[in-house]
Amino acid sequence: MATDDATSNVQHTVTPSTAEVSISSVMTEKRKFPPPADFALNAHVSSMAEYEKLYAAAEADPDAYWGGIAEKFHWFKKWDSVLEWNSPYAKWFKGGKTNICYNALDVHVNSWRKNKAAIIWEGEEGDERVLTYGELHRQVSKFANVLKIAGIKPGDRVAIYMGMVPELIIAVLACARVGAVHNVIFAGFSAHAITERVNDSRARMVICADGTRRRGGSINLKNIVDEAIVNTPSIRSVIVLKVTNEEVHMHNGMDHWWHDLMGLAADECEPAELDAEHPLFVLYTSGSTGKPKGILHTTAGYMIHAASSFKYVFDIKDEDIYFCTADVGWITGHTYMAYGPLLCGATMLMYEGAPNYPQWDRFWDIINRHKVTILYTAPTAIRAFIRAGNEWVTKHNLSSLRLLGTVGEPINPEAWMWYHKVVGQGRCPIVDTWWQTETGGIMVSPLPGATPTKPGTATRPLPGIAVDVVHKDGTPCVANEGGYLVIKKPWPSMLRTIYGDNDRYEKTYWSDFNDMYFTGDGARKDEDGYIWIMGRVDDVVNVSGHRLGTSEVESALVSHEAVAEAAVVSRPDELKGNALVAFVTLKDEYVGDMTLREALRNHVAKEIGPIAKPDEIRWAKGLPKTRSGKIMRRLLRELATSNEIKGDVTTLEDFGVLENLRDQEND
Ligand code: WT7
């Protein structure tokens, strides 16, 4: 029973108590949606009382809580201790030996699920493949043997660069089976981005595809890899999967076809018995300096949280068909496509292509044809669907859907209501899931059979997860006071370090608050203890659900011959969440015009990837700086958003600079 008639939206501003950062204003949202009774009846957790009981038990004895979950998995050897915490370094399930691939596949192959669909794949052109647990197990075992024959040993890093085909998940699981550390690089990234990630992780091998399909055309991935690995001394070999039949150059001795190697490999491969803390993967994410951070996750802790959070948040049942629209190149695809669903023996739908190909109803068409029951997507996609028009959605029968989810950025209440009414037809609970690449799995989310939801909040932390909103000095904020979102206790799927850089790990996450993990997000907790995320407090912006370091975009701009200096900020954007605005100072001999503007945008796309393209480029004679030379991005943000400056300018060195920026003509 929804109470959406009793709407009352009051705009107010919440600012953290130290005026050092200001976090965007939020809405007070009064609408509340209790879980539908029939949903609650059959849910894994079916009331708030049950949630509170679980939460309290986990808080009182975290070792017993996490140990209890871990016992449900297959271990070659049981652990000696649940957690050894040497702040900020965690060892979960020390002494235990397991294998996440074994738990994701062999466990099911040894059960009635052997012939159950694991992956239902749909290509952009409408082609379909179904891989049962048995078949996936066979393919993964074969490819694990390929890795072994190629000399890959436990602990070796393997880069993976391919589009959304089942072989991407096969490659990931095969790495896990032999103990190799996978480093998936999103197929939208440029050659430069691959080089940087391969070198930082000193990867030995690249697994790629010849190409990937995109909106009826294709992108040649192998050419990009060729360009990238000219400068990567650690790479010994490249395995190439045929997807698009692009013309590619196969280099003798270095490059091998996936199908040739698979043809030679046996289809049984004993899983490596790995330490609980054996590294599982490195996934790069933007930092506030130009260099991306290699987030390191390890085996057992990640495994148990990926599986249990998937089970409870998505209330997964064997009958479900779960559709996650993320790419495996991001953490969402790692945890809630490659691992979580398979560890739970679920059936997932994997779609290769764009949401608007051949037209804007592709997702809804897929949901209708495959009778999808759970949809997990991003607010940025939802906003794009709203813009495209309701008729694309309503012309399809979506009655199979029973649960909806979102991830990646705050969802604005109006988009939430649209998702609820138009997609969910008022019937489906929505789980707004807050988490990060670093947290490995969902931290804050409704449990769909228990938690009453409110549009725009990820609600309460999962059992075992100790999040809080605090002041700069670490003391808790009162209800509705804006502050910093921290995590007060270690959790199993936490990042273990930044690959090869413990100093940066300590500095980035553990130096702002005493013995608490700082998420980088601003937030407030309302009177029900619900967490409202107010965005990032540093210079990292979230564009279309992807976190981008503005300084990375700046370095890309400055690497263009015409650019002297650049500052990139974000302004709110209806469609993408945030839009990137670049203030660019040109070298004297260059003139700022439309042609150069396009050239710079394309340059950024080539250096980082199309998602980092600035939406707007403004020419600046100079940038506002402090006396110590720090660019005052806060002022630029104000300019980009409202074209005027209201904030404090006392530390500004040269006032003339601001006048120029305000008065300039933008062609
Ligand atoms: C940042 C993490 C987790 C996978 C996708 C992004 C923002 C994420 C939510 C949400 C409000 C959210 C936060 C967070 N974020 N989910 N449900 N509500 N904000 O992973 O690239 O590591 O980014 O995304 O700012 O810190 P990521």
Side-chain angles (χ1 to χ4, degrees):
M1 184 198 50
T3 52
D4 62 296
D5 293 334
T7 305
S8 149
N9 284 341
V10 185
Q11 185 112 37
H12 73 161
T13 304
V14 181
T15 323
S17 51
T18 60
E20 195 177 302
V21 284
S22 72
I23 302 178
S24 57
S25 65
V26 295
M27 309 270 266
T28 296
E29 172 61 60
K30 296 287 184 209
R31 288 170 287 201
K32 207 167 178 174
F33 298 85
D38 54 337
F39 191 103
L41 199 63
N42 300 307
H44 291 310
V45 177
S46 53
S47 71
M48 246 353 222
E50 208 179 315
Y51 159 81
E52 299 283 10
K53 209 172 130 198
L54 273 171
Y55 194 88
E59 195 172 31
D61 192 348
D63 279 19
Y65 178 75
W66 295 117
I69 293 179
E71 262 159 27
K72 303 194 180 94
F73 293 79
H74 179 88
W75 294 83
F76 299 109
K77 176 177 173 290
K78 202 186 162 170
W79 59 90
D80 302 320
S81 59
V82 173
L83 170 64
E84 191 184 281
W85 179 234
N86 211 329
S87 181
Y89 297 98
K91 285 199 168 84
W92 283 90
F93 308 106
K94 198 177 161 192
K97 285 195 185 293
T98 187
N99 185 295
I100 191 171
C101 176
Y102 185 93
N103 278 284
L105 298 179
D106 302 53
V107 164
H108 308 306
V109 168
N110 297 330
S111 79
W112 68 267
R113 291 197 181 98
K114 179 176 176 204
N115 297 323
K116 179 182 170 176
I119 301 176
I120 301 170
W121 178 83
E122 180 166 314
E124 220 186 45
E125 296 306 327
D127 34 341
E128 278 179 33
R129 287 165 66 188
V130 177
L131 283 92
T132 61
Y133 275 91
E135 180 59 13
L136 187 60
H137 177 260
R138 208 172 71 87
Q139 298 284 332
V140 168
S141 300
K142 274 168 84 86
F143 197 67
N145 283 326
V146 167
L147 293 175
K148 281 184 171 175
I149 294 165
I152 295 296
K153 300 268 182 305
D156 284 350
R157 276 80 53 208
V158 172
I160 304 177
Y161 184 69
M162 52 212 285
M164 286 283 286
V165 288
E167 283 77 5
L168 172 52
I169 292 182
I170 291 170
V172 160
L173 292 172
C175 285
R177 195 167 189 87
V178 303
V181 182
H182 54 79
N183 168 12
V184 180
I185 302 170
F186 173 57
F189 275 129
S190 65
H192 172 76
I194 301 174
T195 306
E196 197 172 25
R197 285 157 174 75
V198 163
N199 284 340
D200 189 73
S201 63
R202 279 169 290 117
R204 292 198 54 178
M205 174 190 275
V206 180
I207 303 167
C208 69
D210 54 352
T212 184
R213 298 187 193 94
R214 205 62 185 169
R215 292 202 176 88
S218 69
I219 300 162
N220 188 313
L221 297 178
K222 175 65 165 60
N223 284 351
I224 299 173
V225 169
D226 287 347
E227 190 187 335
I229 66 168
V230 171
N231 300 312
T232 57
S234 60
I235 294 295
R236 298 274 173 278
S237 54
V238 178
I239 298 181
V240 189
L241 175 76
K242 213 170 239 195
V243 174
T244 52
N245 288 311
E246 299 304 293
E247 201 180 310
V248 296
H249 308 286
M250 296 296 279
H251 302 98
N252 249 344
M254 179 77 148
D255 299 346
H256 308 273
W257 286 111
W258 173 293
H259 57 262
D260 286 345
L261 299 174
M262 285 292 261
L264 304 170
D267 60 10
E268 268 172 47
C269 176
E270 283 300 307
E273 300 188 5
L274 301 168
D275 286 337
E277 282 293 341
H278 187 79
L280 176 63
F281 65 86
V282 181
L283 182 62
Y284 284 82
T285 184
S286 294
S288 49
T289 69
K291 192 172 175 265
K293 298 179 288 201
I295 303 301
L296 178 72
H297 283 286
T298 59
T299 300
Y302 174 84
M303 170 173 81
I304 74 154
H305 189 60
S308 70
S309 60
F310 181 73
K311 173 176 167 186
Y312 287 110
V313 171
F314 296 104
D315 189 49
I316 199 76
K317 308 280 166 53
D318 268 310
E319 301 76 21
D320 278 313
I321 294 186
Y322 160 85
F323 178 18
C324 170
T325 68
D327 192 288
V328 176
W330 309 108
I331 190 69
T332 307
H334 278 59
T335 308
Y336 298 111
M337 291 187 77
Y339 289 114
L342 297 175
L343 285 163
C344 291
T347 297
M348 83 173 100
L349 194 132
M350 180 181 194
Y351 168 54
E352 180 184 39
N356 58 349
Y357 184 82
Q359 46 189 21
W360 272 108
D361 64 345
R362 187 58 183 267
F363 284 5
W364 321 118
D365 184 38
I366 288 176
I367 290 167
N368 174 33
R369 273 186 292 107
H370 295 278
K371 303 295 170 229
V372 168
T373 58
I374 304 170
L375 172 67
Y376 191 30
T377 193
T380 183
I382 295 170
R383 287 190 297 265
F385 292 131
I386 295 174
R387 188 170 272 195
N390 291 7
E391 57 282 6
W392 292 116
V393 187
T394 52
K395 75 180 203 193
H396 294 282
N397 178 356
L398 303 183
S399 60
S400 59
L401 283 174
R402 67 179 194 97
L403 176 62
L404 305 172
T406 71
V407 63
E409 61 186 309
I411 179 163
N412 44 306
E414 290 335 300
W416 193 102
M417 286 308 301
W418 182 90
Y419 200 28
H420 171 73
K421 284 184 180 156
V422 181
V423 179
Q425 293 154 359
R427 180 186 70 239
C428 308
I430 297 179
V431 287
D432 172 353
T433 61
W434 178 90
W435 57 297
Q436 309 178 298
T437 306
E438 290 86 344
T439 68
I442 295 169
M443 304 295 275
V444 182
S445 167
L447 296 183
T451 318
T453 52
K454 303 179 194 178
T457 165
T459 77
R460 303 270 301 265
L462 298 187
I465 303 298
V467 301
D468 205 356
V469 178
V470 299
H471 300 120
K472 191 81 193 161
D473 66 4
T475 56
C477 291
V478 298
N480 288 317
E481 190 186 1
Y484 301 86
L485 187 70
V486 296
I487 305 169
K488 291 183 158 171
K489 275 190 194 149
W491 65 101
S493 64
M494 64 192 284
L495 78 164
R496 297 305 193 264
T497 190
I498 292 174
Y499 193 79
D501 199 344
N502 284 350
D503 282 351
R504 193 172 176 198
Y505 168 67
E506 292 174 19
K507 209 165 148 279
T508 309
Y509 304 109
W510 299 94
S511 66
D512 292 282
F513 301 93
N514 191 21
D515 211 20
M516 295 181 212
Y517 168 89
F518 180 39
T519 62
D521 282 354
R524 75 179 162 95
K525 216 157 69 165
D526 72 11
E527 56 286 352
D528 294 329
Y530 283 26
I531 307 278
W532 296 75
I533 303 294
M534 295 152 73
R536 316 268 322 155
V537 299
D538 56 17
D539 281 322
V540 175
V541 296
N542 198 312
V543 179
S544 300
H546 303 310
R547 194 164 31 149
L548 291 173
T550 48
S551 61
E552 271 191 290
V553 186
E554 290 165 10
S555 2
L557 283 165
V558 175
S559 72
H560 188 279
E561 54 182 13
V563 176
E565 196 171 34
V568 173
V569 297
S570 70
R571 63 164 159 72
D573 179 89
E574 209 190 310
L575 194 63
K576 301 165 71 172
N578 289 292
L580 290 179
V581 181
F583 291 85
V584 173
T585 310
L586 293 174
K587 292 178 184 157
D588 282 341
E589 61 272 31
Y590 289 89
V591 187
D593 58 14
M594 281 311 278
T595 319
L596 185 55
R597 206 170 257 144
E598 259 323 286
L600 291 184
R601 297 181 72 235
N602 291 334
H603 181 71
V604 173
K606 183 167 170 285
E607 289 292 305
I608 305 174
I611 56 167
K613 264 188 182 180
D615 298 273
E616 198 183 313
I617 292 182
R618 297 202 192 179
W619 309 120
K621 290 206 183 80
L623 296 172
K625 289 182 187 165
T626 62
R627 272 153 247 268
S628 63
K630 278 208 184 88
I631 296 174
M632 296 180 73
R633 288 186 182 75
R634 176 171 56 80
L635 302 183
L636 293 174
R637 256 195 303 271
E638 284 187 59
L639 265 182
T641 311
S642 63
N643 223 23
E644 51 177 317
I645 308 273
K646 291 203 200 90
D648 178 23
V649 289
T650 47
T651 52
L652 181 67
E653 193 193 35
D654 176 2
F655 288 88
V657 163
L658 273 190
E659 293 308 317
N660 277 331
L661 281 176
R662 233 187 318 230
D663 296 338
Q664 70 160 311
E665 287 253 317
N666 270 300
D667 57 51

